[in-house]
Amino acid sequence: DGAGLRDLEAAPEADATGREAALLIDSEAARLYDAMHGMIPRLTPLELAPLGLPDALNDLVSGLRQRHPAWQLSLQLNDMGAPLTAPAALVAYRVAQEAVNNAIKHSGGQHIAVTLAHNDPHHMTLTIDDDGCGLPPPEHRPARFGLTSLRERVLGLGGWFEADTRPEGGTRIRATLPCLAEEAA
């Protein structure tokens, strides 16, 4: 473990071989950690590629219902229209996954509603609402706040992203993403 490596790194000169080995292990572990975290955002959930976003969201919500029976999770798919591009579908899935998991872990609520709607010919909006405590103020959010990464991904695809505390309580996460052009669909 990390403490054991630090003990070896601090060992007296007589154990130079052990210290060098500990430094090498620590360096390699840090490299692997960085590589893994760089890879995770690019991995596509197994159910997304063959089934498409609506079915992948249904699978996500169904699985979460089974693992968290105290929560009331709903999924509404409205007027699906043109499909999202593969990168946009992956980002939408990750937004849903992060928002729902955050609500379950941190909101203290009981209800989560996931809605995917084709709101105009060129955009689809994913909304996740919960009835929990709402988001902490920006100055009290952890440095590695997952919503910042999601916002960057959505904006990088030419979309819009909102994360707000709802007036009636709870949190609303909304990502609007571009669909495939109709002639390409």
Side-chain angles (χ1 to χ4, degrees):
D1 70 13
L5 287 175
R6 283 187 286 282
D7 290 344
L8 280 174
E9 290 171 3
E13 290 292 327
D15 195 6
T17 304
R19 252 192 15 252
E20 286 177 28
L23 289 170
L24 180 63
I25 292 168
D26 189 45
S27 172
E28 186 63 14
R31 188 189 68 74
L32 289 171
Y33 179 84
D34 290 343
M36 179 189 69
H37 278 279
M39 213 184 308
I40 287 173
R42 296 190 309 268
L43 296 175
T44 302
L46 292 176
E47 63 274 2
L48 185 56
L51 300 178
L53 181 60
D55 288 335
L57 289 174
N58 189 42
D59 189 59
L60 174 68
V61 169
S62 294
L64 289 167
R65 280 182 190 135
Q66 289 177 353
R67 288 192 302 278
H68 303 281
W71 279 88
Q72 294 179 12
L73 286 100
S74 66
L75 174 64
Q76 186 173 354
L77 305 171
N78 299 329
D79 184 23
M80 294 321 302
L84 292 172
T85 63
L90 178 57
V91 167
Y93 183 87
R94 293 292 186 220
V95 168
Q97 187 178 43
E98 180 81 10
V100 171
N101 282 322
N102 281 347
I104 290 170
K105 289 178 188 175
H106 307 295
S107 79
Q110 296 178 332
H111 302 88
I112 301 171
V114 178
T115 305
L116 184 64
H118 189 241
N119 50 329
D120 70 42
H122 306 288
H123 298 92
M124 198 170 290
T125 298
L126 173 69
T127 305
I128 300 92
D129 288 326
D130 71 61
D131 65 348
C133 61
L135 292 172
E139 63 273 10
H140 291 110
R141 293 178 187 165
R144 293 191 67 162
F145 199 61
L147 295 178
T148 302
S149 170
L150 295 177
R151 178 186 311 276
E152 290 169 3
R153 290 189 207 174
V154 170
L155 296 177
L157 292 173
W160 300 276
F161 184 88
E162 302 168 55
D164 296 306
T165 298
R166 300 180 323 148
E168 65 272 27
T171 300
R172 172 167 287 151
I173 306 296
R174 180 176 286 151
T176 300
L177 293 157
C179 297
L180 290 173
E182 290 191 27
E183 55 276 359

